[in-house]
Amino acid sequence: MKRFSSLFLVSLLSGTVTLGSYKLLFDDNGYFSKKSIVTQAPNTYGRTIGLSSEAVDFTEAADKTIHTVVHVKNVSRKSVSNPILEYFYGYRGDQLQEQVGTGSGVIISEDGYIVTNNHVIKDASEIEITLNNKKSYPAKLIGTDSKMDIALLKINADEKLPYTAFANSDSVKIGEWVLAVGNPYNLTSTVTAGIISAKARNLETGGIQSFIQTDAAVNPGNSGGALVNTRGELIGINTMISSPTGSYTGYSFAIPSNNAKKIIDDLIEFGNVQRGILGVEGGELNAQASKEFGVKETQGFYINKVQQKSGAEKAGLQKGDIIIKLDNQNISSFADLSGYINTKRPNDKVEVTFIRDGKNKVLPVVLSKNEFFSTEFKGIELEDLAAADKNRYHLDYGVKIKSINNENLKQYEAELKGNIILSIDNVKIKDIESASKLLNNKAENQSIQMEMINKRGEIIRIII
């Protein structure tokens, strides 16, 4: 028995030594194992974060959203003359020509409010909404914001409607999964998936400067449709694509839900959009701009000018300050700044964090009303058009000459004051914001050409 016990103990010790030697010399981390500079991720990596079947299951979000996205039909009628009849018979027999446009929209309340793009319903004589269940209703236009490309519609349905809740678009993260939902062909809502490719994209559209970019497939008929997160919450209104062919080729853009919500609230409460402004002019920093301005920072918004009587001036912001944060939102570009300010109203207060003389400072700024926003260049003070001017001249763009302070132009003050500038150096001027942005890039000694309408309604051109 003792002999058997001794043999068993020796065998056990031998096996232990053999196994230990193998682990020491030949296992993955052993002396003779193959070395690698690549760090191996744990086996649990990717199982539950982002790539699991559970994480990319869009069925619930899709089911919640498809019933809230509608087809929008826009019927417009334009008067068309017949040049042959005019030439041979002197007969001007104008005819009404019907044009039909289509797009998508999103139901945002159970009583029938619908948001879409302004360009989807522009110049519409009639608007028809078709729900995902194929029921159709005439729609009333509540209001529009052409600058931000948003329109608000209302239908009177015979039932409570499914609607989409708004998410906080400022919280959207790059790489986050999203769904684009549209109803382009009056069939039923269609769903495509992708990720957030970028935030605060500035596409130089002359209007909104802060798009959400996604690689979810969006085609022209999807304009006005919903961009939602994986919970089916609205984070954007799909509005445009970047494509040489007119069809989807990889990038699409959406108006952030925070911007759309603010416009909708304004249209319902005031009947128009209440725009607040910070009251600063300048540009975003990058390596080249920083070198020109003589600053070390390469991110942020550099203040080149502070508007008189604006909230920025009253708070104490100065030329040369670099804005790096508004409230809790980091500001690294003009799109960041304009995108955040466009979610605010006049008299709203924002905490502005900026760099001055190498030190971070914070000032509370009360936003001014956009109607008081003006800019001056070469002694010509410009302001936005009033509603009366737009109606009188049938314009939806341009800026008005408010005053002449240039001594060389004083003799022409009576002729110039009150004129409406349509373009500067052949660039169409939408409003004061686009005018100041263009003029900021002009040197004071650089001549510019202006096309304008004078008080008699005549088109004139001047060079100053």
Side-chain angles (χ1 to χ4, degrees):
M1 189 66 178
K2 286 183 178 180
R3 181 179 175 83
F4 176 77
S5 298
S6 299
L7 289 172
F8 177 76
L9 182 61
V10 171
S11 300
L12 181 63
L13 290 172
S14 299
T16 302
V17 171
T18 302
L19 181 61
S21 299
Y22 176 82
K23 294 286 289 183
L24 178 65
L25 299 174
F26 299 103
D27 203 4
D28 288 343
N29 296 316
Y31 185 78
F32 293 111
S33 65
K34 186 176 181 180
K35 300 293 183 180
S36 174
I37 62 172
V38 176
T39 301
Q40 181 68 45
N43 290 335
T44 56
Y45 182 81
R47 286 185 178 178
T48 58
I49 303 176
L51 297 179
S52 71
S53 59
E54 182 180 353
V56 295
D57 184 359
F58 300 131
T59 55
E60 183 178 350
D63 187 58
K64 286 176 63 176
T65 310
I66 57 174
H67 303 292
T68 70
V69 174
V70 301
H71 178 77
V72 181
K73 180 182 176 182
N74 160 16
V75 179
S76 61
R77 296 181 177 88
K78 296 183 178 181
S79 179
V80 180
S81 62
N82 188 324
I84 297 178
L85 290 177
E86 285 183 39
Y87 182 79
F88 286 104
Y89 306 105
Y91 171 71
R92 186 174 178 83
D94 289 352
Q95 297 178 335
L96 287 178
Q97 185 179 75
E98 186 175 283
Q99 295 180 329
V100 177
T102 62
S104 303
V106 185
I107 304 172
I108 59 172
S109 69
E110 65 179 15
D111 58 345
Y113 280 101
I114 295 168
V115 63
T116 184
N117 289 142
N118 177 65
H119 74 259
V120 170
I121 54 85
K122 187 177 180 181
D123 300 325
S125 303
E126 298 174 10
I127 302 172
E128 182 182 82
I129 300 297
T130 303
L131 306 182
N132 197 50
N133 62 10
K134 300 298 184 69
K135 290 184 179 180
S136 294
Y137 300 93
K140 176 184 177 182
L141 178 61
I142 301 299
T144 66
D145 183 0
S146 59
K147 179 183 177 70
M148 304 291 278
D149 199 16
I150 289 290
L152 182 64
L153 311 175
K154 177 72 166 63
I155 62 173
N156 294 317
D158 52 7
E159 58 185 325
K160 290 185 178 180
L161 300 174
Y163 61 93
T164 298
F166 281 67
N168 179 5
S169 55
D170 289 338
S171 299
V172 170
K173 299 183 185 304
I174 296 174
E176 181 179 338
W177 284 103
V178 290
L179 296 180
V181 186
N183 193 325
Y185 302 115
N186 202 14
L187 300 170
T188 53
S189 295
T190 57
V191 181
T192 55
I195 62 168
I196 299 296
S197 305
K199 294 173 62 178
R201 278 292 194 228
N202 184 352
L203 302 181
E204 300 291 345
T205 61
I208 185 173
Q209 304 291 340
S210 187
F211 289 95
I212 295 173
Q213 179 183 321
T214 174
D215 65 352
V218 173
N219 282 296
N222 292 76
S223 290
L227 187 70
V228 300
N229 58 25
T230 52
R231 295 180 297 278
E233 300 163 339
L234 190 72
I235 61 172
I237 301 297
N238 297 318
T239 189
M240 64 186 300
I241 58 177
S242 177
S243 168
T245 64
S247 298
Y248 173 77
T249 56
Y251 296 117
S252 54
F253 302 91
I255 299 166
S257 58
N258 286 5
N259 297 76
K261 181 181 182 300
K262 188 264 179 185
I263 294 167
I264 292 164
D265 290 342
D266 282 356
L267 291 175
I268 291 176
E269 185 174 351
F270 303 103
N272 55 43
V273 179
Q274 305 287 300
R275 299 200 193 282
I277 63 161
L278 196 60
V280 297
E281 299 178 27
E284 62 185 67
L285 292 176
N286 52 40
Q288 182 178 350
S290 297
K291 187 176 181 180
E292 292 175 359
F293 291 131
V295 296
K296 296 179 180 179
E297 292 76 14
T298 56
Q299 287 189 319
F301 183 86
Y302 182 87
I303 299 177
N304 198 36
K305 182 179 181 182
V306 179
Q307 295 295 322
Q308 293 182 357
K309 300 180 181 180
S310 67
E313 183 188 55
K314 293 175 183 177
L317 290 175
Q318 301 174 7
K319 178 179 179 179
D321 291 343
I322 301 169
I323 298 175
I324 57 173
K325 185 180 287 188
L326 295 177
D327 293 333
N328 294 319
Q329 295 297 313
N330 292 327
I331 303 299
S332 60
S333 66
F334 173 73
D336 289 330
L337 185 141
S338 64
Y340 189 73
I341 293 298
N342 280 332
T343 66
K344 302 296 181 181
R345 290 177 176 171
N347 299 319
D348 282 352
K349 184 185 290 185
V350 295
E351 295 289 327
V352 179
T353 304
F354 60 97
I355 299 173
R356 180 185 295 171
D357 299 327
K359 297 179 180 179
N360 285 16
K361 298 178 180 291
V362 181
L363 284 174
V365 177
V366 177
L367 300 183
S368 312
K369 197 169 184 178
N370 192 54
E371 282 78 1
F372 303 132
F373 184 31
S374 62
T375 189
E376 185 174 317
F377 183 76
K378 291 191 174 184
I380 302 177
E381 187 177 4
L382 307 173
E383 63 180 356
D384 276 323
L385 295 184
D389 293 322
K390 292 181 180 179
N391 291 334
R392 179 184 176 187
Y393 296 105
H394 304 291
L395 291 172
D396 61 357
Y397 70 98
V399 293
K400 190 174 184 177
I401 298 179
K402 184 178 181 180
S403 63
I404 300 293
N405 302 312
N406 186 324
E407 290 300 322
N408 295 327
L409 297 175
K410 272 292 183 180
Q411 57 182 319
Y412 306 109
E413 182 174 9
E415 296 178 29
L416 293 176
K417 187 177 178 180
N419 289 0
I420 296 172
I421 297 174
L422 303 176
S423 68
I424 297 175
D425 287 343
N426 296 318
V427 177
K428 182 179 178 180
I429 300 301
K430 182 74 176 174
D431 51 24
I432 280 293
E433 187 176 352
S434 60
S436 60
K437 190 174 181 182
L438 176 66
L439 294 174
N440 277 337
N441 295 321
K442 303 286 185 183
E444 281 291 334
N445 60 355
Q446 183 179 357
S447 63
I448 61 172
Q449 177 180 301
M450 293 183 176
E451 180 184 68
M452 62 183 72
I453 295 179
N454 63 20
K455 292 181 283 291
R456 295 182 296 276
E458 301 166 335
I459 300 289
I460 61 174
R461 294 174 180 83
I462 65 170
I463 297 177
I464 62 171

